[in-house]
Amino acid sequence: QLPTTFDKPVHIAVIGGTGLGHLEGYEPIAAVNPITPWGPPASPIKILSHNGTYIAFLARHGLHHQYAPHEVPNRANIAALRHLGVRCVIAFSAVGSLQEEIKPMDFVVPDQVIDRTKGIRPFTFFEGGVVGHVGFADPFDAGLAAIVKRCAESMEGDGVVLHEKGTVIVMEGPQFSTRAESHMYRSWGGSVINMSTLPEAKLAREAELSYQVIAMATDYDCWHSFEDVNVDMVMKYMHQNGKNAKRLVGAVLDQLSNIEHSDLVMAKKWEGYSQGGLKFM
Ligand code: ADE
């Protein structure tokens, strides 16, 4: 039984998605479950010890994958991480590919996002008298993206293929897209599609965190001659490439823990950015 409190600041976090429900090879030293003004996070947050620093790991869909994408308590997740001291988040997500050259099991570091959620997910901290507006022109963090790219380059020999930019379409789900929608997203310039990067990335920006998603393709959605996406296919490819996903995230964590107090990890450029006077506990 792990301690349920941890009183040192934790600056680096991983939000794991489908197929990345936990991180192996790290010493868990606590599992905390802060109750935020938006409720508890999707899962207790594991505090892992790594290279003399601490890393927070949160399973986005819950320990038993009990939250569908539209049910994920995103505000509680982000607020709980921020409350622990987190300033920098690596988020992981299984995605459908909208481009021929992004093959199942390839990784993508998106630099843009198109919001196709339906506004039914709570998507902001700024309401109820707390007013704020944040820029979101570049939704992800180029500094974190550069680290992910460098790590993937060093793993090329192990069959890791990484696409250095791309636009992720975030749809509401939980149903997958129609064929007409899939073709439309391609015509919009979409690279990959998922159901979970928003509102997570928007909330991370409001909470003044550096945030980058690492996407792994598990299917060609339904625009391709390849079999249409289904859950078994997503799980099969996630499982087949889970080792590389964990190694890539692990390599990124090695780098981030080495620069734990840098402006990048400490999200210096976002300090005071949202000016909304948010309180996360
Ligand atoms: N996650 C994995 N594959 C997906 C797809 N094709 N559409 C939406 N979310 C996904």
Side-chain angles (χ1 to χ4, degrees), residues 32-107:
V32 299
N33 201 12
I35 309 297
T36 76
W38 300 274
S43 66
I45 298 171
K46 280 247 175 78
I47 310 295
L48 310 168
S49 170
H50 183 60
N51 288 348
T53 63
Y54 305 111
I55 288 161
F57 181 86
L58 171 61
R60 179 188 292 122
H61 296 281
L63 287 183
H64 311 289
H65 212 287
Q66 70 270 40
Y67 295 107
H70 61 286
E71 296 173 328
V72 170
N74 284 293
R75 291 192 295 189
N77 285 354
I78 296 295
L81 291 175
R82 178 71 209 240
H83 170 70
L84 291 175
V86 166
R87 304 309 322 269
C88 143
V89 174
I90 295 292
F92 189 86
S93 173
V95 295
S97 169
L98 298 171
Q99 298 299 331
E100 183 74 50
E101 67 275 13
I102 302 174
K103 301 189 168 59
M105 304 208 280
D106 286 3
F107 295 95

Coordinates of all heavy atoms in Angstrom, one line a residue, residues 32-107:
V32 N -1.6 9.6 -4.8 CA -2.4 10.6 -4.2 C -3.7 10.9 -5.0 O -3.7 10.7 -6.2 CB -1.6 11.9 -4.0 CG1 -0.4 11.7 -3.2 CG2 -1.2 12.5 -5.4
N33 N -4.7 11.3 -4.3 CA -6.0 11.5 -4.9 C -6.6 12.8 -4.4 O -7.6 12.8 -3.7 CB -6.9 10.3 -4.6 CG -8.0 10.2 -5.6 OD1 -8.0 10.9 -6.7 ND2 -9.0 9.4 -5.3
P34 N -6.0 13.9 -4.9 CA -6.5 15.2 -4.4 C -7.9 15.5 -4.9 O -8.3 15.2 -6.0 CB -5.6 16.3 -5.0 CG -4.7 15.6 -6.0 CD -4.9 14.1 -5.8
I35 N -8.8 16.0 -4.0 CA -10.1 16.3 -4.4 C -10.1 17.8 -4.7 O -9.9 18.7 -3.9 CB -11.2 16.1 -3.3 CG1 -11.1 14.7 -2.7 CG2 -12.6 16.4 -3.8 CD1 -11.3 13.6 -3.7
T36 N -10.3 18.1 -6.0 CA -10.2 19.5 -6.5 C -11.6 20.1 -6.4 O -12.6 19.4 -6.2 CB -9.7 19.5 -7.9 OG1 -10.8 19.1 -8.8 CG2 -8.5 18.6 -8.1
P37 N -11.7 21.4 -6.7 CA -13.1 22.0 -6.7 C -13.9 21.4 -7.9 O -15.1 21.6 -8.0 CB -12.8 23.5 -7.0 CG -11.4 23.7 -6.5 CD -10.7 22.4 -6.7
W38 N -13.2 20.6 -8.8 CA -13.9 20.0 -9.9 C -14.0 18.5 -9.7 O -14.3 17.7 -10.6 CB -13.2 20.3 -11.2 CG -13.2 21.8 -11.5 CD1 -14.2 22.5 -12.0 CD2 -12.2 22.7 -11.1 NE1 -13.9 23.9 -12.0 CE2 -12.7 24.0 -11.4 CE3 -11.0 22.6 -10.4 CZ2 -11.9 25.2 -11.2 CZ3 -10.3 23.8 -10.2 CH2 -10.7 25.0 -10.6
G39 N -13.8 18.1 -8.4 CA -13.9 16.7 -8.1 C -12.6 16.0 -8.1 O -11.5 16.6 -8.3
P40 N -12.6 14.6 -7.9 CA -11.3 13.9 -8.0 C -10.9 13.6 -9.4 O -11.7 13.6 -10.3 CB -11.7 12.6 -7.3 CG -13.1 12.4 -7.5 CD -13.7 13.8 -7.6
P41 N -9.6 13.5 -9.6 CA -9.1 13.1 -11.0 C -9.5 11.7 -11.4 O -10.1 11.0 -10.5 CB -7.6 13.2 -10.8 CG -7.3 13.0 -9.3 CD -8.5 13.6 -8.6
A42 N -9.3 11.4 -12.6 CA -9.8 10.1 -13.2 C -9.2 8.9 -12.4 O -9.8 7.8 -12.3 CB -9.4 10.0 -14.7
S43 N -8.0 9.1 -11.9 CA -7.4 8.0 -11.2 C -6.5 8.6 -10.1 O -6.1 9.8 -10.3 CB -6.5 7.1 -12.1 OG -5.4 7.9 -12.6
P44 N -6.2 7.9 -9.1 CA -5.1 8.4 -8.2 C -3.9 8.7 -9.0 O -3.6 8.0 -9.9 CB -4.9 7.2 -7.2 CG -6.1 6.4 -7.3 CD -6.6 6.5 -8.7
I45 N -3.2 9.7 -8.6 CA -2.0 10.1 -9.3 C -0.8 9.4 -8.7 O -0.5 9.6 -7.5 CB -1.8 11.6 -9.3 CG1 -3.0 12.3 -10.0 CG2 -0.5 12.1 -10.0 CD1 -3.1 13.8 -9.9
K46 N -0.1 8.6 -9.5 CA 1.1 7.9 -9.0 C 2.2 8.8 -9.0 O 2.5 9.5 -10.0 CB 1.4 6.7 -9.9 CG 0.5 5.5 -9.7 CD 1.4 4.3 -9.1 CE 0.5 3.2 -8.8 NZ 0.2 2.4 -10.0
I47 N 3.0 8.9 -7.9 CA 4.2 9.7 -7.9 C 5.3 8.6 -8.1 O 5.5 7.7 -7.3 CB 4.4 10.4 -6.6 CG1 3.1 11.2 -6.3 CG2 5.7 11.3 -6.7 CD1 2.8 12.4 -7.2
L48 N 6.1 8.8 -9.1 CA 7.2 7.9 -9.4 C 8.5 8.6 -9.2 O 8.7 9.8 -9.5 CB 7.1 7.5 -10.9 CG 5.8 7.0 -11.4 CD1 5.7 6.9 -12.9 CD2 5.4 5.7 -10.7
S49 N 9.5 7.9 -8.7 CA 10.8 8.4 -8.5 C 11.7 8.1 -9.7 O 11.7 7.0 -10.1 CB 11.4 7.8 -7.2 OG 12.7 8.2 -7.1
H50 N 12.4 9.1 -10.2 CA 13.2 8.9 -11.4 C 14.4 9.8 -11.4 O 14.2 11.0 -11.4 CB 12.3 9.1 -12.6 CG 12.9 8.8 -14.0 ND1 13.4 7.6 -14.3 CD2 13.2 9.6 -15.0 CE1 14.0 7.6 -15.5 NE2 13.9 8.9 -15.9
N51 N 15.6 9.3 -11.5 CA 16.8 10.1 -11.6 C 16.8 11.2 -10.5 O 17.3 12.3 -10.8 CB 16.9 10.8 -13.0 CG 17.2 9.8 -14.1 OD1 17.6 8.7 -13.8 ND2 17.1 10.3 -15.3
G52 N 16.4 10.8 -9.4 CA 16.4 11.8 -8.3 C 15.3 12.9 -8.4 O 15.3 13.9 -7.6
T53 N 14.4 12.7 -9.4 CA 13.3 13.7 -9.4 C 12.0 12.9 -9.3 O 12.0 11.7 -9.2 CB 13.3 14.5 -10.7 OG1 13.1 13.6 -11.8 CG2 14.5 15.3 -10.9
Y54 N 10.9 13.6 -9.3 CA 9.6 12.9 -9.2 C 8.8 13.2 -10.5 O 8.8 14.3 -11.1 CB 8.8 13.5 -8.0 CG 9.7 13.4 -6.7 CD1 10.2 14.5 -6.1 CD2 10.0 12.1 -6.2 CE1 10.9 14.4 -5.0 CE2 10.7 12.0 -5.1 CZ 11.2 13.1 -4.5 OH 12.0 13.0 -3.4
I55 N 8.0 12.2 -10.8 CA 7.1 12.3 -12.0 C 5.7 11.8 -11.6 O 5.6 10.8 -10.9 CB 7.7 11.4 -13.1 CG1 8.9 12.1 -13.7 CG2 6.6 11.2 -14.2 CD1 9.8 11.2 -14.5
A56 N 4.8 12.6 -12.0 CA 3.4 12.3 -11.7 C 2.8 11.5 -12.9 O 3.0 11.9 -14.1 CB 2.6 13.5 -11.5
F57 N 2.1 10.4 -12.6 CA 1.5 9.7 -13.7 C 0.0 9.6 -13.5 O -0.5 9.1 -12.4 CB 2.0 8.3 -13.9 CG 1.4 7.5 -15.0 CD1 1.9 7.7 -16.3 CD2 0.3 6.7 -14.8 CE1 1.2 7.0 -17.4 CE2 -0.4 6.1 -15.9 CZ 0.1 6.3 -17.2
L58 N -0.8 10.0 -14.5 CA -2.3 10.0 -14.3 C -2.9 9.2 -15.5 O -2.6 9.5 -16.7 CB -2.8 11.4 -14.4 CG -4.3 11.7 -14.5 CD1 -5.0 11.1 -13.3 CD2 -4.6 13.2 -14.5
A59 N -3.7 8.2 -15.2 CA -4.4 7.4 -16.2 C -5.7 8.2 -16.6 O -6.6 8.2 -15.8 CB -4.7 6.0 -15.7
R60 N -5.6 8.8 -17.8 CA -6.7 9.7 -18.2 C -8.1 9.0 -18.1 O -9.1 9.6 -17.8 CB -6.5 10.1 -19.7 CG -7.5 11.0 -20.2 CD -7.3 11.2 -21.7 NE -6.1 12.0 -22.0 CZ -5.1 11.6 -22.8 NH1 -5.2 10.4 -23.3 NH2 -4.1 12.3 -23.0
H61 N -8.2 7.7 -18.5 CA -9.5 7.1 -18.6 C -9.8 6.3 -17.3 O -10.8 5.5 -17.3 CB -9.5 6.1 -19.8 CG -9.5 6.8 -21.1 ND1 -10.5 7.5 -21.6 CD2 -8.4 7.1 -21.9 CE1 -10.2 8.0 -22.8 NE2 -8.9 7.8 -23.0
G62 N -9.0 6.5 -16.2 CA -9.2 5.8 -15.0 C -8.4 4.5 -14.9 O -8.0 4.0 -16.0
L63 N -8.3 3.9 -13.7 CA -7.5 2.7 -13.6 C -8.1 1.5 -14.3 O -7.4 0.6 -14.7 CB -7.4 2.4 -12.1 CG -6.5 3.3 -11.2 CD1 -6.4 2.8 -9.8 CD2 -5.1 3.4 -11.9
H64 N -9.4 1.6 -14.5 CA -10.1 0.4 -15.1 C -10.7 0.9 -16.5 O -11.6 0.3 -16.9 CB -11.1 -0.2 -14.2 CG -10.6 -0.4 -12.8 ND1 -9.7 -1.4 -12.5 CD2 -10.8 0.3 -11.7 CE1 -9.4 -1.3 -11.3 NE2 -10.0 -0.3 -10.7
H65 N -10.1 1.9 -17.0 CA -10.6 2.5 -18.3 C -12.1 2.7 -18.2 O -12.9 2.4 -19.1 CB -10.2 1.6 -19.5 CG -10.0 2.4 -20.7 ND1 -11.0 3.0 -21.4 CD2 -8.9 2.7 -21.4 CE1 -10.6 3.6 -22.5 NE2 -9.2 3.5 -22.5
Q66 N -12.5 3.3 -17.0 CA -14.0 3.4 -16.8 C -14.6 4.7 -17.3 O -15.8 4.9 -17.4 CB -14.3 3.2 -15.3 CG -13.9 4.3 -14.4 CD -12.5 4.1 -13.8 OE1 -11.6 3.7 -14.5 NE2 -12.3 4.4 -12.5
Y67 N -13.7 5.7 -17.8 CA -14.3 6.9 -18.3 C -14.1 6.9 -19.8 O -13.0 6.9 -20.4 CB -13.5 8.1 -17.7 CG -13.7 8.3 -16.3 CD1 -12.6 8.0 -15.4 CD2 -14.9 8.8 -15.7 CE1 -12.8 8.2 -14.0 CE2 -15.0 9.0 -14.4 CZ -14.0 8.7 -13.5 OH -14.1 8.9 -12.2
A68 N -15.3 7.0 -20.5 CA -15.3 7.2 -21.9 C -14.7 8.6 -22.2 O -14.7 9.4 -21.3 CB -16.7 7.1 -22.5
P69 N -14.3 8.8 -23.5 CA -13.6 10.1 -23.7 C -14.4 11.3 -23.3 O -13.9 12.3 -22.8 CB -13.4 10.1 -25.2 CG -13.4 8.7 -25.6 CD -14.3 7.9 -24.6
H70 N -15.8 11.3 -23.5 CA -16.6 12.4 -23.1 C -16.8 12.5 -21.6 O -17.5 13.5 -21.2 CB -17.9 12.4 -23.9 CG -18.8 11.2 -23.7 ND1 -18.5 10.0 -24.2 CD2 -19.9 11.1 -22.9 CE1 -19.4 9.1 -23.8 NE2 -20.3 9.8 -23.0
E71 N -16.4 11.5 -20.9 CA -16.7 11.5 -19.4 C -15.4 11.8 -18.6 O -15.5 11.9 -17.4 CB -17.2 10.1 -19.0 CG -18.5 9.7 -19.6 CD -18.9 8.3 -19.3 OE1 -18.0 7.4 -19.2 OE2 -20.1 8.0 -19.2
V72 N -14.3 11.9 -19.3 CA -13.0 12.1 -18.6 C -13.1 13.4 -17.8 O -13.5 14.5 -18.3 CB -11.8 12.2 -19.6 CG1 -10.6 12.6 -18.9 CG2 -11.6 10.8 -20.2
P73 N -12.8 13.4 -16.5 CA -12.9 14.6 -15.7 C -11.7 15.5 -15.9 O -10.8 15.6 -15.1 CB -13.0 14.1 -14.2 CG -12.2 12.8 -14.3 CD -12.4 12.2 -15.7
N74 N -11.7 16.2 -17.1 CA -10.4 16.9 -17.5 C -10.1 18.0 -16.5 O -8.9 18.2 -16.3 CB -10.7 17.4 -18.9 CG -10.5 16.4 -20.0 OD1 -9.5 15.8 -20.2 ND2 -11.6 16.0 -20.6
R75 N -11.1 18.7 -16.0 CA -10.7 19.9 -15.2 C -10.1 19.4 -13.9 O -9.1 19.9 -13.4 CB -11.9 20.7 -14.9 CG -12.4 21.5 -16.1 CD -13.4 22.5 -15.8 NE -14.6 22.0 -15.3 CZ -15.7 22.7 -15.1 NH1 -15.8 24.0 -15.4 NH2 -16.8 22.1 -14.7
A76 N -10.7 18.3 -13.3 CA -10.1 17.7 -12.1 C -8.7 17.2 -12.4 O -7.8 17.3 -11.6 CB -11.0 16.6 -11.6
N77 N -8.5 16.5 -13.5 CA -7.2 16.0 -13.9 C -6.1 17.1 -13.9 O -5.1 16.9 -13.3 CB -7.2 15.3 -15.2 CG -7.9 13.9 -15.2 OD1 -8.3 13.5 -14.1 ND2 -8.1 13.3 -16.3
I78 N -6.4 18.1 -14.6 CA -5.4 19.2 -14.8 C -5.2 19.9 -13.5 O -4.1 20.2 -13.0 CB -5.8 20.2 -15.9 CG1 -5.8 19.4 -17.3 CG2 -4.9 21.4 -15.9 CD1 -4.5 18.9 -17.8
A79 N -6.3 20.2 -12.8 CA -6.2 20.9 -11.5 C -5.4 20.1 -10.5 O -4.6 20.7 -9.7 CB -7.6 21.3 -10.9
A80 N -5.7 18.8 -10.4 CA -5.0 17.9 -9.5 C -3.5 17.9 -9.8 O -2.6 18.0 -8.9 CB -5.5 16.5 -9.5
L81 N -3.1 17.9 -11.1 CA -1.7 17.9 -11.4 C -1.1 19.2 -11.0 O 0.0 19.3 -10.4 CB -1.5 17.6 -12.9 CG -1.8 16.2 -13.4 CD1 -1.7 16.2 -14.9 CD2 -0.9 15.2 -12.7
R82 N -1.8 20.3 -11.3 CA -1.3 21.6 -11.0 C -1.1 21.8 -9.5 O -0.1 22.4 -9.0 CB -2.2 22.7 -11.6 CG -1.8 24.1 -11.3 CD -0.6 24.5 -12.1 NE 0.1 25.6 -11.4 CZ 0.3 26.8 -11.8 NH1 -0.1 27.1 -13.0 NH2 0.9 27.7 -11.1
H83 N -2.1 21.3 -8.8 CA -2.0 21.4 -7.3 C -0.7 20.7 -6.8 O -0.2 21.1 -5.8 CB -3.3 20.7 -6.7 CG -3.2 20.5 -5.3 ND1 -3.2 21.6 -4.4 CD2 -3.1 19.4 -4.5 CE1 -3.1 21.1 -3.1 NE2 -3.0 19.8 -3.2
L84 N -0.3 19.6 -7.4 CA 0.9 18.9 -7.0 C 2.2 19.6 -7.3 O 3.2 19.2 -6.9 CB 0.9 17.5 -7.6 CG -0.1 16.5 -7.2 CD1 0.0 15.2 -8.0 CD2 0.1 16.2 -5.7
G85 N 2.0 20.7 -8.1 CA 3.2 21.5 -8.5 C 3.6 21.3 -10.0 O 4.6 21.8 -10.4
V86 N 2.8 20.4 -10.7 CA 3.2 20.1 -12.1 C 3.2 21.4 -12.9 O 2.3 22.2 -12.8 CB 2.2 19.0 -12.6 CG1 2.4 18.9 -14.2 CG2 2.5 17.7 -12.0
R87 N 4.2 21.5 -13.8 CA 4.3 22.6 -14.7 C 4.4 22.1 -16.2 O 4.4 22.9 -17.1 CB 5.5 23.5 -14.4 CG 5.6 24.1 -13.0 CD 4.3 24.8 -12.5 NE 3.7 25.6 -13.6 CZ 3.9 26.8 -13.8 NH1 4.8 27.5 -13.1 NH2 3.3 27.5 -14.8
C88 N 4.7 20.8 -16.4 CA 5.0 20.4 -17.7 C 4.4 19.0 -17.9 O 4.5 18.1 -17.0 CB 6.5 20.4 -17.8 SG 7.3 19.2 -18.7
V89 N 3.6 18.8 -19.0 CA 2.8 17.6 -19.2 C 3.1 17.0 -20.5 O 3.1 17.6 -21.6 CB 1.3 17.9 -19.1 CG1 0.5 16.7 -19.5 CG2 0.9 18.4 -17.7
I90 N 3.4 15.7 -20.5 CA 3.5 14.9 -21.7 C 2.2 14.0 -21.7 O 2.0 13.2 -20.8 CB 4.8 14.0 -21.7 CG1 6.0 14.8 -21.8 CG2 4.7 13.0 -22.9 CD1 6.3 15.6 -23.1
A91 N 1.4 14.2 -22.7 CA 0.2 13.5 -22.8 C 0.3 12.4 -23.9 O 0.9 12.7 -25.0 CB -1.0 14.4 -23.1
F92 N -0.2 11.3 -23.7 CA -0.1 10.2 -24.7 C -1.5 9.9 -25.2 O -2.5 9.9 -24.5 CB 0.5 9.0 -24.1 CG 0.9 8.0 -25.1 CD1 2.1 8.1 -25.8 CD2 0.0 7.0 -25.5 CE1 2.4 7.2 -26.9 CE2 0.3 6.1 -26.5 CZ 1.5 6.2 -27.2
S93 N -1.6 9.6 -26.5 CA -2.9 9.3 -27.1 C -2.8 8.3 -28.3 O -2.0 8.5 -29.2 CB -3.6 10.6 -27.5 OG -4.8 10.3 -28.2
A94 N -3.7 7.4 -28.4 CA -3.9 6.5 -29.6 C -4.7 7.4 -30.5 O -5.7 8.0 -30.1 CB -4.6 5.3 -29.2
V95 N -4.4 7.4 -31.8 CA -5.1 8.2 -32.8 C -5.3 7.4 -34.1 O -4.6 6.4 -34.4 CB -4.2 9.4 -33.2 CG1 -4.1 10.4 -32.0 CG2 -2.9 9.1 -33.8
G96 N -6.3 7.8 -34.8 CA -6.5 7.3 -36.2 C -5.7 8.1 -37.1 O -5.5 9.3 -37.0
S97 N -5.1 7.5 -38.2 CA -4.4 8.2 -39.2 C -5.3 8.7 -40.3 O -6.1 8.0 -40.8 CB -3.3 7.4 -39.8 OG -2.7 8.0 -40.9
L98 N -5.1 10.0 -40.7 CA -5.8 10.6 -41.8 C -4.9 10.8 -43.0 O -5.3 11.4 -44.0 CB -6.5 11.9 -41.4 CG -7.5 11.8 -40.2 CD1 -7.9 13.2 -39.7 CD2 -8.7 11.0 -40.7
Q99 N -3.7 10.3 -42.9 CA -2.8 10.4 -44.1 C -2.1 9.1 -44.4 O -1.7 8.4 -43.4 CB -1.7 11.5 -43.7 CG -2.3 12.9 -43.5 CD -3.0 13.5 -44.7 OE1 -2.6 13.2 -45.8 NE2 -4.0 14.3 -44.4
E100 N -1.9 8.8 -45.6 CA -1.3 7.6 -46.1 C 0.0 7.3 -45.4 O 0.3 6.2 -44.9 CB -1.1 7.6 -47.6 CG -0.5 6.4 -48.2 CD -1.6 5.3 -48.3 OE1 -2.7 5.5 -48.8 OE2 -1.2 4.1 -47.9
E101 N 0.9 8.4 -45.3 CA 2.3 8.2 -44.8 C 2.3 8.0 -43.3 O 3.4 7.6 -42.8 CB 3.2 9.3 -45.3 CG 2.9 10.7 -44.7 CD 1.8 11.5 -45.4 OE1 1.1 10.9 -46.3 OE2 1.7 12.7 -45.2
I102 N 1.2 8.3 -42.6 CA 1.2 8.0 -41.2 C 0.6 6.6 -41.0 O -0.6 6.4 -41.0 CB 0.4 9.1 -40.4 CG1 1.0 10.4 -40.6 CG2 0.4 8.7 -38.9 CD1 0.2 11.6 -40.0
K103 N 1.5 5.6 -40.8 CA 1.1 4.2 -40.8 C 0.8 3.8 -39.3 O 1.3 4.4 -38.4 CB 2.2 3.3 -41.3 CG 2.5 3.7 -42.8 CD 3.5 2.7 -43.4 CE 3.6 2.9 -44.9 NZ 4.1 4.3 -45.2
P104 N -0.1 2.8 -39.2 CA -0.3 2.3 -37.8 C 1.0 2.0 -37.2 O 1.9 1.4 -37.8 CB -1.2 1.0 -38.1 CG -2.0 1.4 -39.3 CD -1.0 2.2 -40.2
M105 N 1.1 2.4 -35.9 CA 2.3 2.2 -35.1 C 3.3 3.4 -35.2 O 4.3 3.5 -34.5 CB 3.0 0.9 -35.2 CG 2.1 -0.3 -35.0 SD 2.8 -1.7 -34.4 CE 3.5 -2.4 -35.9
D106 N 3.1 4.3 -36.2 CA 3.9 5.5 -36.3 C 3.5 6.5 -35.1 O 2.4 6.5 -34.7 CB 3.7 6.2 -37.6 CG 4.4 5.5 -38.8 OD1 4.9 4.4 -38.6 OD2 4.3 6.1 -39.9
F107 N 4.5 7.2 -34.7 CA 4.3 8.3 -33.7 C 4.1 9.6 -34.4 O 4.8 9.9 -35.5 CB 5.4 8.4 -32.7 CG 5.5 7.1 -31.9 CD1 6.4 6.1 -32.2 CD2 4.7 7.0 -30.7 CE1 6.4 4.9 -31.4 CE2 4.7 5.8 -30.0 CZ 5.6 4.8 -30.3

